[in-house]
Amino acid sequence: MERNLNYNFAFLDEGSKREIRRSILHAIAIPGYQVPFGSRELPIGRGWGTGGIQITMSVIGPDDTLKVIDQGSDDSVNAVSIRKLIGTTTGVKTTTDSAEADIIQSRHRIPEEPLRADQVLVLQVPQPEPLRSVDPHEEVTRRLHGDGEYTGIWVNLFERYLQTGSALRGADHPVLTDGRYVMNPSPIPRYDNPKLDHAECLYLFGAGREKKIYAVPPYTKVESLTFDDQPFRREDMSGRKCRLCGAENVYFDEFFDAATGERMFQCSDSGFCKKRREKGGNCHEE
Amino acid sequence: MKNRTPVLEGSHITVRFGDGCPYCREHTELEKGRCPVCRTIWAVRDVSFRLYEGEILGIVGESGSGKSTLLKTLYFDQPATSGDCRIARYHDGQKNIFDTSSQQKRYLRNHLMGMVYQNPILGLRMKISAGANVAEKLIAAGNRNAGSMIGRTEELLQHVEISLDRLRDQPRYFSGGMQQRVQISKATANNPPILFLDEVTTGLDLSVQAKVLDLIRSIQKELGIAMMIVSHDLSVIRMMSDRTMVMLGGRVVEEGLTDQIMEDPMHAYTQTLVNSLL
């Protein structure tokens, strides 16, 4: 992408980037701990991925390749605008192939292809605090984190179990990072939770509105919280097949054809789906 | 009873709001516990007591006498300014529980104590079900088995006569008496040796009061929990407690067997209190 020279490289000024990088290092040093940082103003409203953008802007270099995903899709409005903003202010190469990218910024999904040690996944987080539903006060929740007092989160899971018969949440199911801090994995589907555990890549989480950065370094133990007699289960994707690329055992989006009443599935990770189709083989697009 | 070691022993507990001044340090008998010079409030002043196994200790006093503050201090809702408190089952009573870390305090609260507040909002989460409220105490004590917790919760709620079809209802839709009963089953969920009851029957009508008090009595008989009951209502104290402490202006003015205090009050304040009852 062509770089717009009216802006500093990666939009933010060097001092801001340095401060954010320091917070990132702090976060990596304490897995799962939420590091406060001075969230900057961006030409995109808070709550629209500004935490992720600031992390990406701070760590990106001119030789990096960028991929931006929104709910698995490379072409949704949000993904396109963010890619355009970062692309025009840095001039970096962009891609839709997660294997080619050095930095992947994502909302609500972790790509299907396992990420490598030289890759960074930046996740946009709306609500970083797993204890927020337990207590609205920042002072109290920090104290609870300090004491490792996570009873409130377990009570919420128990309440879910009592009311619905399952303690598992659809998205944003809380995880225990490195045996110490409970964290929100950003609203990724429960299907993606196991990908955080002992991953090769670095996961960075940015919450712009809430002004917090946290991280899961490579090869860190990440356990999803579950009761002893209620084992963790991913969403059941068996018996489903992508209508475009024929993939099985991936996370699917579900469609209904209103006219025929037909139920269809399609890979939620559009880059992955596109790559499979380009390689040929299972392609049966109409 | 005298020979036994107390389950809970407090000595010289003081809770002060303000820094104090030479005047109020000198004068212990301040009106309403408030210093006229520096306006420091001595909510609890130099209170010592012993709570023995399986006994009910009543604390009576007018409003503002510091009885609730004392209970909140013992339950770590309110930090003590100074003083010493020991629990027999915690390091054999060799450690002052006020001097422990916040994690240790949480441990003590979750494993060795239970609290029933006057206002159920303090003791219960109003927007989650009664069942999950009771289970909170079990989870806090380290239980991570959902099936066994549901079993125990049902058992506890049945014991306080709450029908199981209300298990999944939120306590904010319950009546005041029911909320108190949920609080009681939550507080006793993991059989703590000590239970604090802060004005549990205030604001309930007489028949419900009697029911709640009966329930507390039966739980006490059954489990042998040592209890501290705070009330401004002397009839509650007379019905429930074995021994009674009378508080005035943050200090204990009289202490003894409940019958003795009722029949033969020594302190002028206790005399007016007992007279007003009759």
Side-chain angles (χ1 to χ4, degrees), chain B residues 6-272:
Chain B
V7 216
L8 179 71
E9 182 174 15
S11 32
H12 309 292
I13 298 171
T14 296
V15 182
R16 187 178 71 204
F17 301 101
D19 294 331
C21 66
Y23 177 83
C24 59
R25 279 166 210 277
E26 191 103 340
H27 298 74
T28 50
E29 288 192 30
L30 303 163
E31 198 192 337
K32 290 251 170 202
R34 193 186 188 101
C35 172
V37 181
C38 67
R39 307 204 142 263
T40 291
I41 297 172
W42 296 78
V44 176
R45 187 153 198 181
D46 201 24
V47 170
S48 302
F49 66 90
R50 282 175 170 192
L51 179 68
Y52 292 96
E53 204 181 318
E55 97 172 324
I56 300 185
L57 176 64
I59 304 173
V60 70
E62 59 184 8
S63 103
S65 63
K67 50 195 196 306
S68 281
T69 309
L70 176 64
L71 227 55
K72 281 178 187 153
T73 308
L74 296 173
Y75 196 61
F76 308 115
D77 279 344
Q78 171 71 49
T81 309
S82 65
D84 187 299
C85 187
R86 282 145 205 278
I87 294 179
R89 274 175 54 180
Y90 181 64
H91 288 274
D92 275 338
Q94 299 298 305
K95 255 188 177 169
N96 180 5
I97 60 168
F98 292 150
D99 279 346
T100 51
S101 66
S102 61
Q103 286 97 328
Q104 287 292 304
K105 282 175 184 162
R106 283 190 207 280
Y107 168 85
L108 286 165
R109 259 170 86 127
N110 294 335
H111 290 84
L112 301 180
M113 298 174 180
M115 174 72 136
V116 183
Y117 293 94
Q118 175 181 6
N119 188 345
I121 286 173
L122 295 170
L124 299 175
R125 289 174 203 253
M126 286 298 171
K127 291 191 176 176
I128 63 171
S129 65
N133 262 299
V134 176
E136 179 175 3
K137 196 80 182 174
L138 302 169
I139 293 169
N143 192 331
R144 292 289 179 269
N145 189 310
S148 81
M149 281 196 285
I150 287 197
R152 175 81 178 131
T153 304
E154 287 178 345
E155 187 188 314
L156 283 158
L157 286 177
Q158 261 170 344
H159 196 252
V160 297
E161 287 171 33
I162 286 176
S163 73
L164 291 183
D165 49 315
R166 305 301 302 268
L167 181 76
R168 287 170 177 79
D169 290 354
Q170 297 172 0
R172 60 183 164 144
Y173 301 125
F174 288 7
S175 71
M178 277 174 84
Q179 289 178 346
Q180 283 316 42
R181 281 182 279 148
V182 174
Q183 267 209 89
I184 290 169
S185 58
K186 179 180 181 176
T188 53
N190 40 21
N191 293 332
I194 303 162
L195 184 66
F196 301 120
L197 300 130
D198 187 3
E199 306 263 16
V200 267
T201 55
T202 311
L204 302 178
D205 69 60
L206 281 175
S207 60
V208 180
Q209 261 191 36
K211 204 170 176 185
V212 170
L213 293 178
D214 274 349
L215 177 69
I216 293 168
R217 258 276 188 233
S218 73
I219 286 176
Q220 200 268 342
K221 283 230 175 74
E222 205 173 304
L223 304 173
I225 301 179
M227 295 184 181
M228 278 176 89
I229 296 187
V230 156
S231 183
H232 64 269
D233 187 347
L234 212 53
S235 54
V236 169
I237 296 291
R238 181 161 69 174
M239 180 181 155
M240 302 294 292
S241 60
D242 305 315
R243 283 191 306 127
T244 300
M245 257 165 42
V246 183
M247 286 185 76
L248 178 68
R251 290 175 312 109
V252 175
V253 291
E254 195 165 352
E255 190 186 353
L257 293 174
T258 306
D259 297 345
Q260 208 175 351
I261 284 181
M262 295 293 168
E263 296 302 322
D264 183 23
M266 307 297 272
H267 193 272
Y269 171 69
T270 321
Q271 282 165 4
T272 48

Side-chain angles (χ1 to χ4, degrees), chain A residues 133-135 140 143-144 146-156 158-164 167 180 226-230, chain B residues 102-103 106 110 125 127-133 135-137 139-141 143-150 153 167-170:
Chain A
S133 60
V134 177
D135 198 293
V140 176
R143 233 177 256 280
L144 292 174
D147 286 354
E149 172 65 44
Y150 294 119
T151 303
I153 296 173
W154 285 101
V155 170
N156 288 347
F158 185 81
E159 170 77 353
R160 182 171 287 269
Y161 173 67
L162 210 56
Q163 304 289 2
T164 67
R180 177 62 183 87
T226 46
F227 292 105
D228 297 342
D229 54 340
Q230 297 282 312
Chain B
S102 61
Q103 286 97 328
R106 283 190 207 280
N110 294 335
R125 289 174 203 253
K127 291 191 176 176
I128 63 171
S129 65
N133 262 299
E136 179 175 3
K137 196 80 182 174
I139 293 169
N143 192 331
R144 292 289 179 269
N145 189 310
S148 81
M149 281 196 285
I150 287 197
T153 304
L167 181 76
R168 287 170 177 79
D169 290 354
Q170 297 172 0

